[in-house]
Amino acid sequence: MAKGKPDYDNLSPTGHRNPPMPWFGMDIGGTLTKLVYFEPCDLETANEEEAEALTTIRKYLTRNITYGQTGIRDAFLEMQKQTIGGRSGSLHFIRFPTSEMNSFIELAKAKNFPHLAKSICATGGGAYKFEDDFKHQVNLELHKFDELDCLIEGIHFIDRNNDKCECYYWKNPGDSKLATKEKFDFRNPYPYLVVNIGSGVSILSVRGPAEFQRVSGTSLGGGTFLGLCCLLTGCETFEEAITLATDGDSTKVDKLVRDIYGGDYNSSKIKLPGDIVASSFGQMNLKERRENATPQDLARATLVTITNNIGSIARMVAVREKVERVVFVGNFLRVNTISMKLLAYAMDFWSQGAMKALFLEHEGYFGAMGCLMEYMKLGQKM
Amino acid sequence: MFASETVETRVKSIQLPDENVFKNLKTARRFAIDIGGSLAKLAYTATVQRKTSRVLEDDKDADSIYQVSDTNETVVRLHFVKFETKFIEGCLDFIQSHIRGVHSSLREMCLKVTGGGGYKYEELISRKLAVKVDREDEITCLIKGCNFLLKNIPDESFIYQRHGSPEYKFQGVDLNIFPYLLVNIGSGVSLIKVESDNQFDRIGGTATGGGTFWGLGSLLTKAKTFDDLLLLAEKGDHREVDMLVKDIYGGAYSLIGLPADLIASSFGKAARSPRKSSHNNIEETQTQFKEEDLARSLLLSISNDIGQIAYLHARLHGLKKIYFGGYFIRGHPLTMHTITYAINYWSKGEIQPLFLRHEGYLGAIGAFLKGAEEDGTLQNAEKYSWEENFAGSSGLAQSSRVLQTQNSNFDMLELDRLEKATLPFPLLLDPDLYQPDTVDLTQDTQARQYWLQCFIDGTKKQEEQAIKSQSQEEDAVTRAAMFREQYLARLEALKLNPCAFGSLNVRGLLDMRSHILKEFNFTDSYSQQKQLENEQALRCLADRLQTLDGISDPGDRALELARGLLAGNVFDWGAKEVADIMETGELRFEDAEEKLQVRPWLLDDFDAWLGKRLNGHTYHCAAIFCDNSGADIILGVFPFVRDLLKSGSKVILCVNSRPTLNDVTYQELLILLRRVAAICPVICEAAETNQLVVMASGQGSPCLDLRYIDEDLVSMLKSEGTDLVVIEGMGRAIHTNFDARFTCDSLKVAVLKNRWLAQRFGGDMFSVVFRFEEGSRLNKQPGTCQDERTGIYENKQHGTSQ
C-alpha cells in the first residue's frame, strides 16, 4: 500500500497535462455516494461545445443545493480559492444515497457528461459494483482507486488546504453546557488511527503520509444504527434518526450498573460506577418497559450502543498500535454531536486522558477527495 | 389477588419442581444461589445414604472365605440446579416445604447469594427459607467456580468446530490452567484476566451482551423467551438484513482480504432509502424483514462483537486461552461458531476460544465453595477430588432439536466427593499429554455405533444381575427397571449428541452405567458372584502353584506365568461373549488357557520381557493394576506376583476402591491375600514383611484413569521407587491406557474378549495383547512426544506383523 510520497501542498505542478474536465472524485459507499466537484473559476476551454456542456454541469451543480429528491450539496463545506492542476476554483461536496445510482447515471447522460469525458473515477465498494452499469448505460470507463489510499490522501489534502480549521477536538465532552469544539493542529499527526464510520467501520493505522494499513474494523457501524432505528422507530432517514435520538433517554432502555446492583458495583478488586451501562437494551426484554420506551428513547439507545462499541474497539486498537491520536471520520458523525461527544468522553475517560479523539469537518468526503486527486494524477498518463 | 394466584397455579402446573430436581433435600446443607437476570442457579450439599455390600472375614465357616453383608455408605454430593429466575418463588416454596422441620440448624446458617439479581431477591429468600442472606461478590464467585470446574471436571472445556469431526473437541484435564481470560457473558459482558486462584483483574467489559440480544430481540420479534429467540435465529438468514462485503463491492474486497460473505454492516439492509419507504406505511415496510432473519442477524452481530472484543483484550494482555461463561451461550452451536470464527479470524488461530460444559454454574459453584469454606461444611473443599455423577447430571443441549424437545425447565449438575484426594499417576511420561481413552467415540463413528448398540444390548443382562443380587428385596425389580430405562434413555440421547457429557468413550459408557446402577441402590451387583468365584479359584491355587513349580526351564515357566495371567483374564463378566459361556458354569482355568491365541500373539512382546527377566534384571518395585475377582486375581495374578517376589521385587497390588462389575475391590483383596498367604509361604512372608502390599487405587471403574490415583498410593509409588507398571485386562489396558507411556518399564496384558474389538485390532476372539515397553525419558523437543505415541491403528499393524 506504500507509495511515493504525494505532495499535498502543491498538487499537479505546472506543465503537466491535466485530464479532461469536468473534474470529479466519487466515493460509492454502501449507503451514501460522495462526490467532490472542482469548479474552475477561470473558464478556458478547448472548444465551444465542450464549454457549453461544462457550463451546464457547473451551473446545475453550483446553483442548486439539492438534486432530485435525495441529492444534497453541503454548501457549508465548500472550499474556495483552491488551486488544482494549475487551475483555481472551488471544491464542492455533494452526496446522494447509493441506492439512487441509476438516477445519477441518467442525470450524467442528460447533462451530456459522456460527451466530455471517456472516463470517470470512483472509489469505495460501489466502484466495483457499478462498473458495468457505467460502461453499458453511459459508455463511461470507471477508473477504480483503492478506498483506503483515497481516504488518507483526502484527509491530508483537505487538512492542509482548508483555511478554516479542519481538525478539532471536544473540550469538556462530558458536560453538555461546557462542551466546546477546539482547534487541533494536525500538521504533524503521525502516528495516528483513522476510524472511518460509514455503513460499517474500518480502522486504519497511519504511520506516515503513505504508510498505513487497515488494522481492524467492525460491522456495527452507521448502517447498523440507521437499520436498527428504521426497524425500531419507523423513521426513514439518518437525519430523522438523529433528531429522534437527540430527544431520547437511553437509560429507559439500557440496564445500568445501578439497575442491577442498586448502586455502584464495589468489591475489593472491582469498582464500577452505577451510571455506567451494563447491558445495552437490557431492559427491553420486559414487556412493561418496552411499552414505556418511546421511539426517541430507542433511537438514543441505538446511537449510544453503536457509538460506545466503536469507541471501545477503537480504544483497544489504539493501545495495541501504541497510538494516542484517534481521528474519527465518516458520515455517521454528520449532524451527530451526540456520538462525537460520547467518543471524545469515552476516549478520555478510559485512557485517563492519554488518548485524544479528533474529528474533521469534512467527515465523509475524504475518500471522494482522494479520488479526485488520483484522477488528476491520471492525467499524466492520458 | 385471585388473578395472580391463577397465574401462579398455571405456571406451577407446568413448571412444578419435584424430588427429581431438588434431590436429597432432607439432608441438604449449606445453600448458595446465583441469581441472574434470566437464570437462577441453586447449589447445596447433601449426603446420600445408599446400601452397599461389605465383606467380613469369617473364620468359623470353613466353606466360605468371607461373608457379604449389607451396609450403608454415605456419599457427600454437591447439587446444582439451574432454572429460570421467574420460577424462583415456586422453587423456594418447594425447598422450604421439604426442609421444614428437618433442619433447625438452617436457621443459624447463612445462605450465600451472588449474581446481579441477588439484591432484588434477598428479602424473598430470607423470608421464605428463614435464613440469613449473605451477599458475595459476583466476579470472585465466577472465578472460583471456573477454577474449580477446570481443575476437577475432566472434559469441562472444549473447542467448538462446526462441521468438524468431532464437533466438540474436549480438552481433558488441564494441569496448568493459568493464565486465562474469562469472558462472562451475562446481560452485559465482563472480561477478567485470571492469573492464579487469588489473582485476577477485570480488564474490560462491554454493554453489548446477552441482555442486548434479548432486549433488541424482544423489540424486533415476537419471541417470548431467550430460547425462542435462539430458535428463530437458527432458522433465519442474516444475509437478508445485513449488508455484506459483496453487497457493497459486488464481490470480495480482495485487496485487503475481506471475503465477499463477510458482514460489512450489520442490519445495513434495514436502513431504508427514503424512496423505497415513502409510499409505504411503517407496518408494510417492517414486514419486509422476517423475524427469523432479524434474530439471526442480531445473534451474529453480538457474538461477532464479543469475539472481537475478547480477542483484543487477550491480545493486549498476552493471553492465549479465552474461556466463555455466562448465560448467553447456552451451548448454542451458532453462537459458539460465530465467536470461534471471530477469534480465529482476528487472531489467525493464535488465541484459543474455549467453551465450558457447565458455563452457567460458575457463580453458583463459587458462592457455594465460599460459604462452605467459611462454615466448615466442606473443609478443604478444594483438596478433595470430585466426580461428576452422570446419573444425575444433565448433558449439553446441542441443537435446536434438542432445545425444542427439552421439556424439563431444570438443568442439573451433581458432583460426588471421593473419599480421598487423588493425584495423577507419578510415572506417566507426560502427564500433560496423557489421555486415558484409546478410542474417541465422538470421532470414530463406526466404533461409536458399535459400542452404543453393544451397551444397549447388554443392559438387560445388567438388569437381571442387579435383581439377582438383591433377590430378597421387594422393590429390586422396580428399581432395576428404572435403571434400565434411564440408562437406555441416556444411550439414545448419546446417539443424537455424542458430546453431551464430554468426550465419549467406552470408559464413560461403563461409568455412566455404574453411576445409574448405584443411583438405584445397586452398588455391587456381583458381590455374591465374586465370592463364589473367589472360593472356587482358591481351591485350585495349590495345584496351580505346583504345576508352575514343576516347570524347570525358567523361560517355559515365565511363559506359563504369562499364560496364566492371560487365562485368568478370560474370566470376565464384563465381556458379553465370555459371560455367556460362564453362565453355563463350564469354564475351567485349563479350558480358558486352551482358548488363548497360540503364539505369536496379536501383540507379542513376550520375548523382550523374558529377555529382560533372564538377563537377571530385577525390578525394585512393581505396581500391578488388577482386574477381576476369582481365577483372574487368584490363579493368574498371585502366581505372577509370587515370581516377582521370589526375584526380590517389592509388589504393590493396586485395586479398585469401589466395586464395579466383578472387579476385585480393596476390601476383598485384603481378605483374599490372607487366604492366599495361608496356601503360599512366599506370599505369606512377603505380606508379613510388607514386601507385598495391597493398595486402593482410588478408582471405581472397570477402566483406569491414571489422572485420578489415590494420594496414598501415589506417595507409596514414589517412595518405593516403582520401576515396573503392570496393567491387566481389557478395560484398563485396551480401552484405556493402551497408548499410555511411562517413565519406567510397563507391561500391558489383556485378552480380547470382544469379537468386534478383536477384529478391529486385526485378530479374533481371545487374541492376546502382551505389550512390554521399556521406560522412556520425555524428550522435551516440541511435538516429539506426541509423535512417538502410536495410535490404535498403527498398533494393529504392529500386531499383525509379528
Side-chain angles (χ1 to χ4, degrees):
Chain A
M1 211 151 294
K3 286 192 180 161
K5 188 181 171 181
D7 183 354
Y8 298 112
D9 298 315
N10 189 11
L11 190 80
S12 65
T14 49
H16 130 282
R17 257 184 81 192
N18 284 327
M21 290 235 175
W23 294 346
F24 278 107
M26 180 160 63
D27 175 4
I28 312 174
T31 311
L32 278 182
T33 297
K34 284 75 67 178
L35 270 177
V36 174
Y37 166 61
F38 178 73
E39 176 205 9
C41 299
D42 50 347
L43 263 187
E44 52 156 278
T45 37
N47 59 62
E48 276 180 29
E49 194 193 353
E50 195 178 303
E52 196 187 312
L54 278 175
T55 310
T56 313
I57 291 171
R58 182 171 61 91
K59 283 184 178 162
Y60 177 70
L61 290 177
T62 56
R63 291 190 184 166
N64 294 305
I65 52 164
T66 59
Y67 314 94
Q69 284 191 330
T70 54
I72 286 166
R73 179 162 61 85
D74 286 315
F76 69 100
L77 291 178
E78 181 180 331
M79 288 164 69
Q80 294 171 344
K81 293 176 193 153
Q82 298 294 316
T83 305
I84 284 183
R87 305 284 299 271
S88 62
S90 299
L91 287 167
H92 297 278
F93 299 89
I94 298 160
R95 61 187 150 89
F96 62 87
T98 301
S99 57
E100 300 294 308
M101 188 53 76
N102 284 326
S103 314
F104 176 76
I105 292 172
E106 285 302 313
L107 185 70
K109 212 194 264 179
K111 301 288 173 198
N112 220 358
F113 196 107
H115 191 75
L116 296 166
K118 288 189 190 61
S119 63
I120 186 165
C121 60
T123 186
Y128 296 83
K129 192 178 172 185
F130 295 104
E131 190 174 4
D132 287 352
D133 295 341
F134 275 91
K135 183 75 205 161
H136 296 132
Q137 293 182 36
V138 279
N139 198 29
L140 273 175
E141 200 71 49
L142 211 57
H143 280 286
K144 304 184 294 293
F145 298 108
D146 179 66
E147 64 180 284
L148 303 185
D149 291 352
C150 290
L151 177 68
I152 301 299
E153 282 194 61
I155 288 175
H156 293 160
F157 179 86
I158 291 181
D159 179 64
R160 293 302 162 84
N161 293 288
N162 187 0
D163 45 13
K164 296 170 222 158
C165 177
E166 178 68 22
C167 184
Y168 61 96
Y169 67 94
W170 286 89
K171 200 173 167 185
N172 304 316
D175 188 320
S176 56
K177 287 195 189 86
L178 292 177
T180 47
K181 274 168 85 168
E182 298 287 328
K183 281 184 183 181
F184 186 85
D185 183 350
F186 199 63
R187 271 175 303 185
N188 186 20
Y190 311 108
Y192 70 96
L193 220 56
V194 180
V195 181
N196 185 23
I197 317 175
S199 310
V201 181
S202 274
I203 303 181
L204 284 73
S205 174
V206 188
R207 311 239 152 234
E211 196 190 328
F212 52 88
Q213 79 183 112
R214 185 181 194 272
V215 289
S216 195
T218 164
S219 70
L220 298 176
T224 315
F225 164 64
L226 185 52
L228 279 174
C229 272
C230 290
L231 290 166
L232 295 172
T233 71
C235 74
E236 298 186 339
T237 64
F238 181 75
E239 288 76 4
E240 235 183 294
I242 292 290
T243 308
L244 283 172
T246 308
D247 299 329
D249 178 359
S250 59
T251 64
K252 296 218 165 71
V253 175
D254 294 341
K255 197 183 264 180
L256 307 187
V257 167
R258 65 163 182 258
D259 294 327
I260 303 176
Y261 300 100
D264 295 353
Y265 181 96
N266 269 323
S267 77
S268 52
K269 290 182 172 155
I270 293 136
K271 295 195 183 351
L272 288 173
D275 59 358
I276 256 182
V277 184
S279 173
S280 303
F281 289 89
Q283 296 194 49
M284 291 298 97
N285 60 319
L286 301 172
K287 193 162 174 280
E288 61 279 13
R289 298 290 168 87
R290 278 201 297 280
E291 283 161 359
N292 286 332
T294 63
Q296 285 82 354
D297 298 337
L298 293 171
R300 179 68 166 230
T302 311
L303 189 63
V304 170
T305 303
I306 300 294
T307 306
N308 277 339
N309 194 59
I310 294 169
S312 120
I313 290 175
R315 189 181 54 82
M316 278 188 284
V317 174
V319 173
R320 195 187 71 193
E321 298 289 317
K322 301 187 174 60
V323 163
E324 286 170 5
R325 287 171 291 270
V326 182
V327 184
F328 292 92
V329 297
N331 271 312
F332 174 67
L333 299 173
R334 198 167 56 77
V335 298
N336 184 3
T337 48
I338 300 174
S339 289
M340 285 194 276
K341 288 179 196 170
L342 265 178
L343 288 168
Y345 180 76
M347 281 288 152
D348 193 58
F349 180 84
W350 293 109
S351 72
Q352 278 99 41
M355 261 179 224
K356 204 168 212 58
L358 301 172
F359 303 91
L360 300 173
E361 294 288 354
H362 284 81
E363 286 136 2
Y365 285 108
F366 301 107
M369 184 66 226
C371 183
L372 170 59
M373 292 163 66
E374 291 289 342
Y375 181 66
M376 297 309 294
K377 287 185 211 160
L378 204 62
Q380 302 166 43
K381 296 166 205 152
M382 283 171 107
Chain B
M1 190 66 204
F2 180 76
S4 76
E5 269 182 1
T6 41
V7 170
E8 182 86 339
T9 322
R10 187 183 60 82
V11 169
K12 274 189 177 173
S13 65
I14 314 166
Q15 316 292 351
L16 190 71
D18 58 24
E19 284 89 346
N20 291 320
V21 174
F22 296 105
K23 293 187 206 162
N24 305 313
L25 281 174
K26 284 199 170 69
T27 58
R29 291 173 70 196
R30 168 43 65 200
F31 286 83
I33 189 160
D34 173 11
I35 308 180
S38 96
L39 294 171
K41 284 78 65 173
L42 181 80
Y44 58 94
T45 179
T47 47
V48 183
Q49 298 281 338
R50 65 182 172 209
K51 204 179 325 166
T52 188
S53 53
R54 192 159 60 129
V55 290
L56 278 173
E57 203 158 7
D58 188 349
D59 294 324
K60 288 167 212 143
D61 189 344
D63 289 337
S64 62
I65 43 174
Y66 56 76
Q67 294 291 315
V68 181
S69 66
D70 283 344
T71 183
N72 277 325
E73 67 175 353
T74 304
V75 179
V76 176
R77 181 171 287 174
L78 302 188
H79 288 271
F80 302 95
V81 184
K82 185 163 72 181
F83 52 89
E84 284 193 52
T85 302
K86 61 183 171 193
F87 304 132
I88 191 161
E89 199 153 352
C91 290
L92 290 173
D93 283 340
F94 181 86
I95 294 163
Q96 195 259 349
S97 66
H98 282 73
I99 55 173
R100 189 167 35 196
V102 179
H103 299 293
S104 52
S105 61
L106 203 64
R107 207 171 294 273
E108 290 106 56
M109 273 194 349
C110 64
L111 183 146
K112 292 283 179 194
V113 177
T114 187
Y119 88 101
K120 240 193 261 177
Y121 292 97
E122 245 170 54
E123 193 269 322
L124 180 77
I125 296 167
S126 163
R127 182 161 46 84
K128 292 259 179 198
L129 299 183
V131 289
K132 200 175 127 247
V133 169
D134 191 5
R135 211 187 316 160
E136 278 297 329
D137 174 56
E138 193 176 347
I139 288 171
T140 311
C141 291
L142 279 176
I143 301 301
K144 212 171 176 57
C146 189
N147 290 341
F148 178 83
L149 283 173
L150 290 174
K151 286 178 189 170
N152 285 282
I153 307 301
D155 290 346
E156 176 58 37
S157 68
F158 59 90
I159 294 167
Y160 180 76
Q161 32 193 25
R162 188 166 68 170
H163 307 314
S165 176
E167 195 176 351
Y168 297 70
K169 207 170 158 203
F170 290 98
Q171 302 296 297
V173 178
D174 193 348
L175 299 176
N176 309 296
I177 61 173
F178 305 112
Y180 66 86
L181 177 65
L182 176 67
V183 179
N184 190 60
I185 318 176
S187 310
V189 183
S190 280
L191 297 105
I192 306 138
K193 174 186 180 179
V194 187
E195 288 170 292
S196 73
D197 278 320
N198 298 310
Q199 203 183 348
F200 54 86
D201 190 16
R202 185 183 189 273
I203 55 172
T206 160
T208 314
T212 315
F213 177 65
W214 200 2
L216 264 176
S218 303
L219 289 163
L220 295 171
T221 74
K222 292 183 191 72
K224 293 234 164 30
T225 66
F226 195 95
D227 288 327
D228 286 350
L229 261 178
L230 285 174
L231 282 176
L232 278 178
E234 189 79 36
K235 287 183 276 183
D237 183 352
H238 69 286
R239 293 171 299 186
E240 298 294 320
V241 181
D242 291 344
M243 197 181 272
L244 308 185
V245 165
K246 70 177 170 207
D247 293 321
I248 301 178
Y249 286 83
Y253 183 8
S254 41
L255 194 63
I256 52 174
L258 298 181
D261 284 321
L262 195 76
I263 302 168
S265 172
S266 300
F267 289 93
K269 280 183 187 154
R272 280 162 285 147
S273 72
R275 206 174 62 178
K276 237 192 260 170
S277 59
S278 58
H279 306 298
N280 302 331
N281 61 34
I282 295 161
E283 259 78 289
E284 271 170 358
T285 47
Q286 277 188 338
T287 53
Q288 283 177 42
F289 299 101
K290 289 200 295 196
E291 288 198 327
E292 291 85 351
D293 301 343
L294 292 170
R296 193 181 185 96
S297 169
L298 185 60
L299 181 65
L300 293 190
S301 61
I302 292 173
S303 307
N304 257 321
D305 192 52
I306 294 171
Q308 181 177 11
I309 287 175
Y311 152 76
L312 283 167
H313 279 101
R315 249 308 290 274
L316 287 182
H317 290 267
L319 301 167
K320 298 273 183 233
K321 284 184 293 189
I322 307 178
Y323 292 102
F324 289 89
Y327 83 83
F328 175 66
I329 296 173
R330 303 188 180 201
H332 196 64
L334 183 61
T335 314
M336 294 193 290
H337 169 71
T338 309
I339 290 177
T340 302
Y341 182 88
I343 289 177
N344 288 340
Y345 175 84
W346 291 110
S347 79
K348 298 179 179 68
E350 277 181 19
I351 294 172
Q352 201 161 53
L354 293 154
F355 302 94
L356 301 169
R357 279 200 291 137
H358 302 107
E359 58 180 10
Y361 289 108
L362 307 185
I365 293 174
F368 173 81
L369 292 174
K370 196 99 202 313
E373 275 169 20
E374 283 171 14
D375 75 357
T377 313
L378 283 174
Q379 269 168 341
N380 303 323
E382 301 194 359
K383 295 211 176 77
Y384 282 102
S385 293
W386 300 86
E387 184 179 53
E388 186 175 0
N389 177 26
F390 291 125
S393 301
S394 314
L396 269 179
Q398 187 197 23
S399 61
S400 57
R401 190 179 55 238
V402 178
L403 275 174
Q404 260 171 331
T405 55
Q406 226 175 22
N407 45 20
S408 168
N409 288 286
F410 298 92
D411 184 277
M412 278 97 75
L413 168 64
E414 295 183 12
L415 303 176
D416 285 356
R417 192 178 75 184
L418 302 180
E419 299 122 76
K420 284 173 70 186
T422 60
L423 290 169
F425 190 68
L427 300 165
L428 283 170
L429 181 63
D430 190 343
D432 290 324
L433 273 182
Y434 172 77
Q435 208 288 105
D437 305 291
T438 309
V439 179
D440 180 349
L441 299 182
T442 54
Q443 274 183 61
D444 189 333
T445 314
Q446 205 194 353
R448 178 172 72 243
Q449 283 163 351
Y450 172 77
W451 286 113
L452 282 173
Q453 197 53 49
C454 181
F455 279 93
I456 289 171
D457 295 344
T459 305
K460 190 81 195 147
K461 194 150 270 171
Q462 292 298 318
E463 183 189 7
E464 288 164 7
Q465 182 66 33
I467 297 170
K468 202 172 126 194
S469 73
Q470 296 182 8
S471 49
Q472 70 286 4
E473 305 273 340
E474 273 176 27
D475 62 345
V477 175
T478 324
R479 282 186 284 118
M482 283 158 83
F483 147 74
R484 173 174 38 89
E485 277 166 30
Q486 196 184 335
Y487 188 48
L488 291 177
R490 282 291 159 104
L491 292 172
E492 289 301 329
L494 283 168
K495 278 186 182 174
L496 285 177
N497 179 11
C499 301
F501 292 92
S503 197
L504 186 65
N505 44 58
V506 175
R507 177 175 58 94
L509 292 170
L510 285 162
D511 289 350
M512 184 175 285
R513 186 171 74 188
S514 74
H515 288 178
I516 300 175
L517 277 167
K518 280 184 196 169
E519 201 64 18
F520 294 104
N521 242 332
F522 298 109
T523 43
D524 196 0
S525 302
Y526 286 86
S527 55
Q528 296 102 328
Q529 191 69 38
K530 287 187 285 184
Q531 182 186 20
L532 186 72
E533 286 172 22
N534 284 333
E535 282 164 7
Q536 280 175 355
L538 269 173
R539 285 196 283 271
C540 307
L541 179 62
D543 284 351
R544 177 66 191 161
L545 292 175
Q546 206 175 356
T547 308
L548 287 163
D549 291 339
I551 304 169
S552 52
D553 179 67
D556 290 347
R557 194 169 55 241
L559 180 61
E560 190 50 32
L561 280 168
R563 282 172 51 84
L565 202 53
L566 292 159
N569 197 243
V570 169
F571 294 83
D572 187 355
W573 286 99
K576 191 178 159 286
E577 292 169 69
V578 181
D580 289 342
I581 312 173
M582 286 169 73
E583 265 181 351
T584 64
E586 283 168 7
L587 188 66
R588 294 180 308 138
F589 192 74
E590 294 76 21
D591 301 334
E593 243 186 316
E594 293 271 291
K595 289 195 182 295
L596 294 177
Q597 182 189 20
V598 288
R599 287 192 70 198
W601 295 321
L602 186 59
L603 214 163
D604 193 338
D605 293 334
F606 177 76
D607 292 340
W609 161 251
L610 181 66
K612 190 134 186 182
R613 297 285 289 154
L614 292 183
N615 264 343
H617 181 88
T618 304
Y619 288 105
H620 186 72
C621 173
I624 303 180
F625 285 90
C626 308
D627 188 1
N628 303 312
S629 300
D632 192 347
I633 182 76
I634 293 168
L635 302 178
V637 175
F638 270 114
F640 184 83
V641 167
R642 187 181 69 147
D643 192 58
L644 283 167
L645 293 170
K646 277 182 174 172
S647 69
S649 306
K650 171 161 181 147
V651 176
I652 306 170
L653 289 173
C654 315
V655 278
N656 271 6
S657 307
R658 300 173 294 283
T660 183
L661 285 171
N662 63 329
D663 294 37
V664 64
T665 65
Y666 174 68
Q667 278 197 342
E668 288 161 355
L669 192 54
L670 285 178
I671 296 173
L672 291 178
L673 174 60
R674 286 195 280 276
R675 295 292 167 152
V676 171
I679 296 165
C680 170
V682 179
I683 297 214
C684 181
E685 198 197 326
E688 277 167 12
T689 59
N690 276 341
Q691 190 194 353
L692 173 62
V693 288
V694 175
M695 292 293 287
S697 64
Q699 304 260 311
S701 165
C703 293
L704 174 60
D705 185 344
L706 291 171
R707 295 172 298 193
Y708 300 99
I709 299 299
D710 184 287
E711 60 176 351
D712 291 338
L713 173 55
V714 167
S715 78
M716 179 180 282
L717 288 165
K718 285 193 209 159
S719 65
E720 293 297 338
T722 308
D723 53 358
L724 175 67
V725 178
V726 181
I727 304 177
E728 193 215 353
M730 279 218 302
R732 292 175 184 78
I734 304 290
H735 293 315
T736 54
N737 300 309
F738 186 74
D739 297 319
R741 300 286 303 271
F742 300 92
T743 52
C744 65
D745 287 5
S746 65
L747 191 57
K748 295 164 189 165
V749 185
V751 181
L752 300 179
K753 290 155 290 188
N754 171 294
R755 197 174 301 276
W756 182 88
L757 183 68
Q759 282 167 357
R760 204 135 201 244
F761 266 73
D764 209 337
M765 265 303 267
F766 302 113
S767 287
V768 168
V769 169
F770 192 94
R771 190 177 199 187
F772 175 68
E773 285 167 308
E774 300 211 311
S776 32
R777 284 259 172 91
L778 185 57
N779 187 343
K780 272 294 180 190
Q781 276 175 342
T784 39
C785 184
Q786 199 147 32
D787 295 341
E788 277 176 22
R789 289 168 68 117
T790 44
I792 186 163
Y793 303 112
E794 284 84 353
N795 282 301
K796 184 181 100 179
Q797 287 172 348
H798 171 53
T800 45
S801 67
Q802 302 219 354

